[in-house]
Amino acid sequence: MPLHSKHLLGLDGMSREDLQLILDTAVSFHEVLERPIKKVPPLQGKTVANMFFENSTRTRLSFELAERRLSADVLGFAATGSSVSKGETLKDTARNIEAMKVDMVVLRHGAAGAAHYLSRVINANVINAGDGSHEHPTQGLLDMFTIREKYGRLNDLHVCIVGDIAHSRVARSNIFGLKTMGARVSVCGPATMIPREIERLGVEVYHHLDDVLPHVDVLNVLRIQLERDAGRLFPSIREYRQTYGVTRKRMEKAGRVVTVMHPGPINRDVEISADVADSEHSVILQQVLNGVAVRMSVLYLLSTRG
Amino acid sequence: MQLLLTGGRLIDPPTGRDATVDMLIVDGRIERIGTNLSASAAQVIDLRGKIVAPGFIDMHVHFREPGFEYKESIASGCAAAAAGGFTAVCCMPNTNPPIDDESLVHFIHARSREAMGGLVNVYPVGAVTAGRKGEHLAPLAELAAAGAVAFSDDGDPVHDAELMRRALEYSAMFRRPIIQHAQEPSLSRGGVANEGYPSVTLGLPPMPRIAEEMMVARDIRLAEYTGGQYHVAHVSVAETLDLVRAARTKHLAVTCEVAPHHFTLSDEALATYDTNTKMNPPLRTREDIEAMKAGLRDGTIDVIATDHAPHSYDEKEVEFAQAPFGIIGLETAIGLAVTELVKKNVLTLYQLVEKFSTNPRNILHLPVIDIAEGSQANLTLFDPTAEWLVDPATFKSHARNTPFGGARLTGRPVGVMNNGTSFWC
């Protein structure tokens, strides 16, 4: 059964069947990653270009590893800043790379909709590796995979996303995917970081972490962008830490075992403290491994679709 | 050259006429108006079922000359205007250099006289502030004397409240409106889409509706305080109309316009990140579309103006956030207005003519178009029932940046006459 779309642009609108297929397929690739020989041949002879227009270490390495594990030829391209500031448009850059007979393009870009746009102007499969504040679908998928690995299901679990929801592509992909799979999703953060009308996505909104903690199964803690609008979206790091910092003390007060996730990179002692990030309830490093498995799954399923 | 226009419905709001007439035009002058006219030497144009109206004016266009002729020149802009059924336009001053001294006004006049045989009157709008920088007043008296019909820093608002106050006071001395691109910049900075459900799901930086409302509220207070004449460009949110309505009950000199896209499309159209759905102010909600229609119906909105904003193909062929704001509008204006307003019983054809001709001319204090024997013909002829498919490839404009390509519209210009010359669509 192939995926319904030629591209992975986002989890918004993706069917339950497709989500299920990606997650199920990732299970077998996860198993491959546990073997002594971690390489399988499905993408032999295929070329994947990783086009990263934004700084990224984790996602880029994870994709690259997933591609190599599937025996693909990998082309790396990193340019910081916008394509426009470099004088070449995204379209020209992508078409030039595609002209070298590339089968798939993984795109990380600072502008929302960049992957949608690219999918219209090139023939290769496009995988969105993060577009502005829009989506980061493979992150959403790996988060869902990790939760399912831990609980055996997604439906009826309560997942709360904490942090700057307004500017988070991780939050959006999580919300779209988890809602489709039947999870209960809430968001928690200062009012300045919760976009208006987010309720229409079917999520509950909290502003006080202690109100929601006693009711959640999973806490997905977002990275606070220290560089973003400090002093405008929130007064100070100190105040954010005191209000939204996830600490052991706070978790214990909630009186409930809560699984903690974080998409990384972590600002220790800002949004999360070491006694939580490194605790037995943290699945942060599992997320990293699962990321490779999920990306292998996506690459494989899109390649079989052509 | 004799033309006999037969059987057309003359709608002429300045005189209140609405009747089927024949019209004999000789060398661009109206020779006779009557019924069952005949003239053996004349070319007969059958206008049965079609409308004959005083020439339409689009009081909000961007002709990119000087500075950005690759987007649109005055010549191509005038061709687009004529093809869209307009005999006059007001061009905004965000050119390079901007229209902030009289030499630019003269330049635009000269260029427009060369285009289309001078068919389209191009009325420059002068900048409110020198260089459109928002710091000092431009030489408004000089600009007005040269022929600027209004002042605006369109594209940017006049943000500084004191400067806006002075502009309203100063321009009132010679009866010129200040046209405001109403948007509190600190609230909409960096935004590319209406703040609402679509911007949330699409992850697009938001432009809150209150940015427009707040600026209009401030400006109306300033207009009342100074007695100046104030016109809100391209209204996009319902709350603005409430403010304008309230100002009217106080008999303030406050007017406003709406662009066809703001009564046609909502922000749901952004779902595919099509850069031709990106404009400033942005597409708003379905409720706002209904509010625009209500405002047109009850007269709160005086004018339909397109905010014709040409950009090159490559400029729009980029990521959404990087694309420039704006779409072209001259050649779809009548079609969209008839389709969305007349066919849906928002406006009568008579009211449509008011919004496209009479009202904007009144706001700008332009002479009334005289449809009388002996007068120069300044006419827009259009067919309110013709159905057509929008094909941007056929546009006279240099630019193709429209979200309406492929749309099926009702209502189409037939031709225009002005300044002794004519254009047939």
Side-chain angles (χ1 to χ4, degrees):
Chain A
M1 189 178 67
L3 288 173
H4 284 92
S5 171
K6 181 185 169 182
H7 311 286
L8 178 67
L9 306 178
L11 302 189
D12 188 9
M14 183 179 278
S15 69
R16 203 185 164 92
E17 294 70 42
D18 278 359
L19 289 168
Q20 197 93 44
L21 176 62
I22 295 170
L23 297 177
D24 290 347
T25 308
V27 174
S28 33
F29 286 118
H30 191 272
E31 185 260 323
V32 168
L33 295 174
E34 302 288 352
R35 292 180 197 165
I37 306 292
K38 299 177 175 60
K39 200 161 180 146
V40 285
L43 260 61
Q44 205 156 37
K46 300 259 186 188
T47 309
V48 186
N50 296 318
M51 296 178 59
F52 278 66
F53 289 88
E54 264 189 352
N55 286 326
S56 159
T57 308
R58 181 175 326 235
T59 304
R60 190 168 53 80
L61 289 179
S62 179
F63 265 108
E64 208 173 302
L65 197 59
E67 291 149 10
R68 292 189 194 283
R69 294 282 192 242
L70 292 169
S71 306
D73 293 320
V74 179
L75 216 65
F77 173 92
T80 49
S82 74
S83 54
V84 168
S85 70
K86 283 182 62 75
E88 191 179 43
T89 63
L90 173 59
K91 180 178 174 178
D92 281 336
T93 308
R95 282 193 165 171
N96 273 281
I97 290 174
E98 191 183 37
M100 302 178 211
K101 303 295 177 197
V102 164
D103 301 290
M104 306 175 102
V105 170
V106 176
L107 179 72
R108 158 69 61 97
H109 197 284
H116 283 74
Y117 169 68
L118 199 64
S119 73
R120 283 201 294 268
V121 296
I122 64 173
N123 293 315
N125 308 87
V126 175
I127 299 173
N128 183 3
D131 62 326
S133 302
H134 178 226
E135 282 223 49
H136 191 354
T138 56
Q139 180 72 44
L141 287 162
L142 78 88
D143 289 346
M144 291 159 73
F145 184 93
T146 306
I147 297 169
R148 205 177 71 159
E149 185 181 46
K150 172 109 185 175
Y151 292 90
R153 66 188 162 92
L154 289 166
N155 58 307
D156 299 329
L157 287 173
H158 184 176
V159 181
C160 179
I161 308 165
V162 188
D164 184 357
I165 309 300
H167 297 97
S168 175
R169 50 192 172 212
V170 176
R172 281 175 179 77
S173 287
N174 264 274
I175 291 168
F176 293 132
L178 286 166
K179 288 300 293 180
T180 303
M181 297 308 287
R184 175 181 169 193
V185 182
S186 56
V187 295
C188 181
T192 48
M193 291 177 163
I194 307 282
R196 295 164 70 86
E197 305 203 30
I198 184 103
E199 296 88 349
R200 286 176 62 185
L201 292 174
V203 302
E204 300 156 48
V205 175
Y206 293 89
H207 297 304
H208 303 285
L209 200 47
D210 297 329
D211 290 349
V212 68
L213 263 185
H215 310 289
V216 305
D217 300 298
V218 178
L219 205 58
N220 198 347
V221 184
L222 301 177
R223 172 184 167 79
I224 282 298
Q225 305 265 324
L226 301 173
E227 62 278 18
R228 191 196 297 278
D229 289 334
R232 280 190 171 262
L233 286 177
F234 59 101
S236 66
I237 294 293
R238 175 169 175 267
E239 184 152 311
Y240 188 86
R241 179 194 302 121
Q242 284 169 350
T243 324
Y244 297 100
V246 178
T247 60
R248 182 139 199 129
K249 195 171 148 207
R250 182 166 245 156
M251 299 289 275
E252 279 169 357
K253 205 175 106 195
R256 183 176 170 111
V257 174
V258 176
T259 300
V260 176
M261 314 202 333
H262 192 298
I266 295 175
N267 296 307
R268 285 175 183 267
D269 295 323
V270 180
E271 72 263 359
I272 193 166
S273 64
D275 52 17
V276 175
D278 306 331
S279 76
E280 68 277 23
H281 302 305
S282 162
V283 291
I284 294 172
L285 292 177
Q286 282 96 306
Q287 286 176 270
V288 178
L289 176 67
N290 294 342
V292 180
V294 159
R295 288 174 179 122
M296 287 172 80
S297 168
V298 168
L299 288 157
Y300 165 73
L301 289 169
L302 289 180
S303 77
T304 58
R305 206 185 172 284
Chain B
M1 174 81 175
Q2 297 194 12
L3 288 175
L4 185 61
L5 312 179
T6 60
R9 176 179 163 197
L10 172 66
I11 297 178
D12 184 38
T15 59
R17 277 178 296 180
D18 184 349
T20 300
V21 296
D22 296 346
M23 214 180 273
L24 179 65
I25 313 280
V26 178
D27 297 331
R29 203 160 281 282
I30 300 172
E31 187 75 19
R32 288 193 63 195
I33 301 176
T35 46
N36 300 317
L37 295 184
S38 62
S40 51
Q43 182 191 342
V44 177
I45 296 174
D46 183 358
L47 290 179
R48 277 174 298 178
K50 302 182 176 58
I51 307 298
V52 179
F56 284 6
I57 179 170
D58 185 346
M59 67 177 287
H60 194 139
V61 304
H62 297 270
F63 289 175
R64 305 298 192 181
E65 189 174 353
F68 311 97
E69 293 82 355
Y70 67 97
K71 296 174 191 258
E72 189 90 288
S73 63
I74 290 168
S76 66
C78 285
F86 294 92
T87 64
V89 296
C90 297
C91 60
M92 286 294 168
N94 58 339
T95 46
N96 185 20
I99 309 172
D100 67 353
D101 76 45
E102 65 173 347
S103 68
L104 271 297
V105 176
H106 295 318
F107 169 79
I108 287 161
H109 282 156
R111 275 282 193 272
S112 63
R113 277 192 295 268
E114 295 161 6
M116 306 290 292
L119 190 152
V120 179
N121 293 110
V122 178
Y123 298 108
V125 174
V128 177
T129 65
R132 298 179 60 257
K133 290 196 172 83
E135 291 163 4
H136 311 285
L137 288 179
L140 305 187
E142 171 192 303
L143 285 162
V149 294
F151 302 107
S152 180
D153 277 357
D154 184 63
D156 297 306
V158 179
H159 181 209
D160 185 301
E162 194 238 351
L163 205 52
M164 188 59 164
R165 170 204 168 151
R166 299 303 179 202
L168 285 162
E169 285 173 337
Y170 197 80
S171 64
M173 295 190 298
F174 31 90
R175 295 215 313 163
R176 293 290 191 280
I178 300 291
I179 301 174
Q180 175 77 310
H181 182 136
Q183 205 162 49
E184 167 52 45
S186 66
L187 283 170
S188 48
R189 190 170 294 132
V192 299
N194 178 50
E195 181 169 52
Y197 183 68
S199 74
V200 172
T201 59
L202 297 170
L204 291 171
M207 304 172 94
R209 54 194 302 113
I210 195 167
E212 175 174 315
E213 183 192 354
M214 279 184 59
M215 190 59 94
V216 172
R218 180 201 81 172
D219 288 345
I220 287 176
R221 296 293 299 122
L222 288 171
E224 181 170 15
Y225 190 67
T226 60
Q229 187 188 343
Y230 177 69
H231 179 81
V232 190
H234 40 52
V235 171
S236 70
V237 301
E239 293 86 342
T240 296
L241 298 178
D242 295 336
L243 292 165
V244 172
R245 227 170 248 127
R248 289 290 178 72
T249 63
K250 291 188 182 176
H251 305 292
L252 304 183
V254 172
T255 53
C256 67
E257 71 193 28
V258 68
H261 47 270
H262 283 127
F263 59 67
T264 307
L265 294 176
S266 76
D267 56 355
E268 291 164 42
L270 274 65
T272 59
Y273 295 98
D274 178 355
T275 55
N276 285 330
T277 61
K278 179 179 175 180
M279 59 285 279
N280 185 5
L283 296 175
R284 302 289 186 181
T285 67
R286 287 188 199 196
E287 291 73 30
D288 290 309
I289 292 177
E290 291 314 307
M292 294 307 129
K293 289 178 177 171
L296 282 160
R297 189 187 286 123
D298 72 12
T300 306
I301 300 175
D302 311 86
V303 173
I304 299 169
T306 68
D307 193 9
H308 179 84
H311 294 292
S312 80
Y313 172 80
D314 284 319
E315 286 173 319
K316 280 286 199 181
E317 188 66 359
V318 291
E319 307 86 301
F320 196 87
Q322 265 133 26
F325 290 107
I327 60 167
I328 53 172
L330 280 165
E331 292 170 80
T332 47
I334 288 179
L336 288 168
V338 171
T339 305
E340 296 298 321
L341 304 176
V342 177
K343 269 183 88 179
K344 295 182 178 173
N345 297 315
V346 175
L347 295 180
T348 62
L349 283 165
Y350 189 97
Q351 291 169 315
L352 194 77
V353 172
E354 291 179 313
K355 312 274 186 200
F356 269 127
S357 180
T358 323
N359 295 349
R361 294 186 73 90
N362 285 342
I363 290 165
L364 299 164
H365 312 290
L366 294 172
V368 172
I369 292 172
D370 204 13
I371 301 182
E373 293 178 0
S375 296
Q376 181 94 256
N378 181 349
L379 301 173
T380 289
L381 317 176
F382 69 101
D383 182 343
T385 57
E387 290 191 20
W388 60 292
L389 195 70
V390 179
D391 177 8
T394 64
F395 284 172
K396 300 289 182 197
S397 170
H398 260 339
R400 301 284 179 265
N401 52 310
T402 173
F404 297 113
R408 184 161 286 283
L409 299 180
T410 304
R412 188 169 203 179
V414 171
V416 285
M417 278 178 221
N418 189 29
N419 295 332
T421 182
S422 60
F423 176 84
W424 301 95
C425 302

